[in-house]
Amino acid sequence: MNVSIIGTGYVGLTTGACLAFLGHKVTCIDADERKVKALQAGKIPFYEPHLPELVAGARHNLSFTTEYAQSIPTSQVIFIAVGTPPGQNGAPDLKYLEAAARGIGEYLSGDFVVVVNKSTVPIGSGNWVESIVRDAYEKRTSKKANGVFAVASNPEFLREGSAIFDSLYPDRVVVGSDNQRTAEVLYSLYRPLLEQTFIAPSYLPRPDRMGAVPLISADLASAELIKYAANAFLALKISYINEIGQLAEKVGADITQVAKGIGLDARIGTRFLQAGIGWGGSCFGKDTAALVATAGEYGLDAGIVKAAREMNRRQRERVVDKLLDELKILKGRTICLLGLAFKPDTDDLREAPALDIARKLIERGARVKAHDPVAMSRFLQEYPDLDVTLCASAEEAAQDCDAVVLVTEWQQYRELDWESIKNSMRGQVLLDGRNLLDRARLAKAGFRYLSLAG
Ligand code: UDX
């Protein structure tokens, strides 16, 4: 099939590369000329494991352009995967979505095409996108748009850092549409993925017990709500375990054991029960805010989701409170942050806890040094005014510090020579914000080991 993808961010580029890998002819469209030039030259604009290999391997099926005219008229499926950054009052800003929908309407040829919303949009946006595409098409052609296109919602569930794995081996594919023909087109598009008939790439073998992928075929509004309900639920799980973590600290329980003990109940599940600083990233904060905003529009309170957000905010404050408790005075102290990215295996800094923590420490007069294995150049580009000294290694960042805070659970931090790090520090406080490290070993090395749960 001929496919266009508008937007070459995490979602768009990953989707495009996967569909090209599955054998479709994919054109990725982005308004940013520099980005498109870089992609044409084989450069990936962000860090995502295996994406460069996937793009290189699917090159013969993949092209990049800034021009809608190049592929929209000949596409059977058009994905909208533009950013929907947080706007005012928790509702996402939809200006890029609107521009993409208008662009599509201006170039549709008249043969039936499915326009798929992959951006996370407020519930009801499918109909709104449809009206924009329709208006643009009818204005240009002076013909009715009936039968020319249909809008579908196909939310993504990929996690940054494992985006390719999640795209090739999803738990389910959700397709929302109010039109039977649309569901059939998308079934054909995803068939190799649903039936798992493609040859797995050598760098990402198919998981052992992987069977056919369930397809959830729903109406538009349900598909849109599935996305928000899924992300909010995962966010709730994390805030819940962090709430239990606070209690564990008081009663002297070990939160990691508690999480395992409840998670092995299949009704609960072990994933997203890792206690610590809490969530960051482009989705959970934005999607929970949007869910609360939408509920508010209908006179509902969404109190559970609000509480999860509040718990997540407080976890960041607790980092500073704990340091204050230990060090008594933060003015003039030097604090080392290990990890800047919102989670390991990505250089994404959106809503990263490290940013908030650094700001709060600086406000209290502390100096902040930091290290991250991949996110430092992005940090320099995006936060030139945040007064953090970046260091080439974790060891250098910790040197002469009063305390070290492990903010992002990069695996390499587990293997550091913590004994020699301790000897190079001025103080002995180590706050393990992700419960990653071996408490006994660190205590033996002379650290005063702290976590957010005991
Ligand atoms: C998330 C969803 O998982 C994905 O389905 C959706 O489409 C986009 O949002 P992502 O933001 O890339 O993906 O990362 P994810 O792995 O879900 O982690 C989100 C945040 O939660 C991270 O900051 C992570 O550190 C934190 N987290 C995750 C925890 O604090 N504890 C956990 O147990 C799991």
Side-chain angles (χ1 to χ4, degrees):
M1 280 185 167
N2 288 338
V3 180
S4 290
I5 314 243
I6 305 177
T8 57
Y10 285 97
V11 175
L13 192 55
T14 306
T15 306
C18 286
L19 290 172
F21 169 79
L22 294 176
H24 300 294
K25 285 277 172 219
V26 178
T27 306
C28 295
I29 306 174
D30 201 295
D32 184 339
E33 222 164 286
R34 270 182 41 212
K35 210 167 163 191
V36 167
K37 281 223 167 76
L39 285 162
Q40 284 167 339
K43 290 195 194 95
I44 308 294
F46 49 83
Y47 178 86
E48 178 62 41
H50 304 307
L51 188 56
E53 292 106 295
L54 195 75
V55 168
R59 259 210 109 56
H60 55 291
N61 279 338
L62 199 52
S63 53
F64 301 97
T65 181
T66 52
E67 302 297 331
Y68 282 59
Q70 191 167 317
S71 68
I72 297 293
T74 51
S75 288
Q76 283 123 341
V77 183
I78 302 166
F79 282 93
I80 306 182
V82 294
T84 50
Q88 276 171 1
N89 311 325
D93 183 344
L94 301 178
K95 63 173 183 275
Y96 303 115
L97 185 68
E98 190 175 355
R102 198 173 322 108
I104 293 170
E106 283 167 3
Y107 287 95
L108 284 183
S109 69
D111 292 335
F112 182 70
V113 52
V114 177
V115 176
V116 188
N117 223 336
K118 222 167 171 60
S119 304
T120 304
V121 292
I123 298 151
S125 300
N127 300 335
W128 179 67
V129 165
E130 202 207 293
S131 68
I132 296 168
V133 177
R134 178 179 293 277
D135 287 353
Y137 178 82
E138 293 183 350
K139 196 166 159 208
R140 189 193 95 223
T141 61
S142 307
K143 284 191 210 148
K144 285 275 168 218
N146 298 346
V148 169
F149 77 98
V151 172
S153 161
N154 173 215
E156 54 76 24
F157 300 103
L158 53 88
R159 293 161 300 168
E160 290 177 20
S162 7
I164 311 301
F165 181 90
D166 291 350
S167 301
L168 293 179
Y169 309 118
D171 292 334
R172 79 301 204 188
V173 171
V174 175
V175 169
S177 104
D178 296 333
N179 169 308
Q180 178 59 24
R181 196 167 165 199
T182 304
E184 282 160 20
V185 171
L186 292 180
Y187 184 81
S188 311
L189 181 82
Y190 280 128
R191 197 179 185 129
L193 194 89
L194 295 168
E195 296 176 356
Q196 288 288 304
T197 46
F198 63 89
I199 298 170
S202 56
Y203 46 84
L204 270 183
R206 183 172 282 115
D208 280 346
R209 283 196 298 276
M210 182 88 199
V213 175
L215 174 73
I216 310 294
S217 206
D219 56 79
L220 259 179
S222 302
E224 287 168 353
L225 183 54
I226 284 170
K227 169 73 189 199
Y228 284 107
N231 274 351
F233 191 79
L234 294 170
L236 290 183
K237 274 188 96 171
I238 300 169
S239 279
Y240 175 74
I241 202 65
N242 284 335
E243 181 164 302
I244 298 297
Q246 289 188 18
L247 184 59
E249 176 173 28
K250 298 285 182 207
V251 302
D254 176 345
I255 192 59
T256 310
Q257 284 178 11
V258 174
K260 197 168 171 196
I262 63 171
L264 286 172
D265 181 331
R267 293 171 300 175
I268 295 174
T270 48
R271 295 161 78 192
F272 284 75
L273 281 182
Q274 212 177 299
I277 292 175
W279 79 70
S282 65
C283 286
F284 286 178
K286 182 166 73 101
D287 292 356
T288 51
L291 195 64
V292 169
T294 304
E297 284 168 22
Y298 290 89
L300 301 171
D301 181 50
I304 294 180
V305 181
K306 277 187 190 161
R309 288 174 55 77
E310 175 58 14
M311 169 60 67
N312 200 56
R313 191 190 63 75
R314 291 227 325 264
Q315 287 300 85
R316 297 174 184 200
E317 276 179 7
R318 289 183 69 225
V319 171
V320 180
D321 292 347
K322 287 245 168 191
L323 292 173
L324 202 56
D325 268 1
E326 281 303 314
L327 300 171
K328 308 299 176 203
I329 290 165
L330 286 175
K331 214 183 265 321
R333 303 280 195 184
T334 308
I335 312 294
C336 160
L337 302 184
L338 291 186
L340 292 168
F342 83 94
K343 68 171 194 177
D345 295 322
T346 180
D347 61 350
D348 197 339
L349 293 160
R350 284 175 289 179
E351 298 211 21
L355 302 173
D356 255 358
I357 294 167
R359 284 191 197 103
K360 287 182 205 304
L361 290 170
I362 293 165
E363 265 165 33
R364 286 183 172 271
R367 287 187 51 210
V368 177
K369 291 168 79 184
H371 170 261
D372 189 284
V374 303
M376 291 202 291
S377 53
R378 209 159 181 187
F379 179 88
L380 277 177
Q381 263 171 36
E382 293 177 6
Y383 299 94
D385 300 333
L386 194 50
D387 187 14
V388 171
T389 308
L390 298 181
C391 301
S393 66
E395 290 81 357
E396 195 186 318
Q399 201 169 3
D400 298 325
C401 284
D402 296 285
V404 170
V405 183
L406 190 138
V407 185
T408 315
E409 66 276 34
W410 286 96
Q411 276 310 309
Q412 66 201 77
Y413 291 152
R414 202 196 284 269
E415 273 102 53
L416 289 173
D417 181 351
W418 284 103
E419 286 74 14
S420 77
I421 287 184
K422 164 72 194 57
N423 293 334
S424 76
M425 285 173 59
R426 191 177 315 143
Q428 67 269 11
V429 172
L430 188 135
L431 173 50
D432 181 359
R434 298 289 178 180
N435 298 312
L436 177 78
L437 305 170
D438 180 343
R439 175 189 291 250
R441 180 183 153 200
L442 287 156
K444 207 164 146 217
F447 277 107
R448 166 105 177 93
Y449 177 93
L450 308 172
S451 86
L452 290 176

